[in-house]
Amino acid sequence: MEKKRLNELPDELILKIFSLLPMLKETLATNLISRRWSEEDPWKLVSNVTLNDDDNESVMSFVYGSLFSNDAQTLERLHLKLVRRKSASNIDFVVQVAVNRSVRKLRIDLSGRILVLPRCLSTCKTLKSLIHFTRFDVAMFPVAPPTFYRSSLKSLHLLSVEFSSDDSVAYLLRNCEALEDLVINRTEDDNVKVFNINVPTLRSLSINNSRRKHVYVEEDLGFVINAPALEKLNFKDTCSNFFMFEDMPEVTKANIEVVYSDQSEKFIGSLTSIQRLSLCSSTSNTPYPRGTFFFFLKHLELCTCTEGWTNLLAGILNNAPKIQSLKLESKHSCHHYNDLMNPWIVPKVVPECLSKHLEILEWKQYEGTKQERKVGAYILANATCLKTGHSQSHQDVGANMRQS
């Protein structure tokens, strides 16, 4: 029997077929069908589509247009922004249409509702990027075939996603064997204690575990990361008390902000090839094992918002002989701590980076305290290669530094 395309069928039969599908509004469907006889392109198929609850006609046009078109172009991006309660069958149907159009990037925002990922995604071979800004339970995934996500998915963003257990995270990531980019924003409500990220192919990792309030718990709460191919790391954590990281010898750029930084040496010390480092640490202790050197570090940005930052700076300068640019900035509320509690300890030997390599010094939120003047004067006196010095403060920084 000869197969016919949907748009070759009679209008009455098409309407009957649509009556069996979710999201049908007969009057709108009739209007869309009538447009196919017009000379203009009736559905305006585009490769970048955003659908939301306030525009029913756009949703219907996307669905019916994709079904009617003889040659529907590849869908580069679909963004579902659904605030009102929609049935799972409605969401599944729209996603299935996107899969039929070889969708490459999918983002789903469900405004706090729980989502079970549509079954059709488990066999989608074109999906490269998946972004969630919603609650969903990974344990509720449909049973995945052996090829689930493995052949295509390169980027996965989990934004405010509520997981049901530690196993849920491991299950999801275990089935993303080609994953290169992972973004995780944890919520205050998820039930995961230890986030286990074991992705050998991962190249970029961004984690935000910053919460408005933190109630200390005796049990371990944090991350275990094994990503030997990682090149870029953004890590912000204000509440974990447990870190375990395997060596990450390929990381060249890292932005790290940790509160419980007595644990931070377990991962900062593994960044042996780091070239650019931005660091905010709540302790003056050197956040890496003794004897660690950062021979490739050329650009250092250090947050000055906590006590003891001056001696943390001294430690890093001693262990990073090739630093070319140094930026000091209070990224958070500037605390007027007591300088006497954490006095600046002048290095016994001038760090090699100051005497041979430092060319740029930038200092923001400079307040001109006694300790800041001492640090600034020491750097200016010993940075023999300095070409640029820039500061933002309420005072004449250079004059204050030299007066000290």
Side-chain angles (χ1 to χ4, degrees), residues 73-76 97-105 124 126-127:
Q73 60 182 294
T74 297
L75 186 60
E76 293 293 334
V97 172
V99 170
N100 292 343
R101 285 185 56 184
S102 302
V103 63
R104 296 174 61 85
K105 183 175 182 179
C124 182
T126 60
L127 191 65

Side-chain angles (χ1 to χ4, degrees), residues 229-254:
L230 198 67
E231 298 174 356
K232 182 179 179 181
L233 173 65
N234 287 299
F235 193 96
K236 182 177 182 180
D237 193 305
T238 62
C239 56
S240 292
N241 57 14
F242 175 78
F243 299 138
M244 183 178 293
F245 295 85
E246 300 295 333
D247 287 341
M248 296 177 280
E250 301 300 320
V251 173
T252 59
K253 183 177 182 180

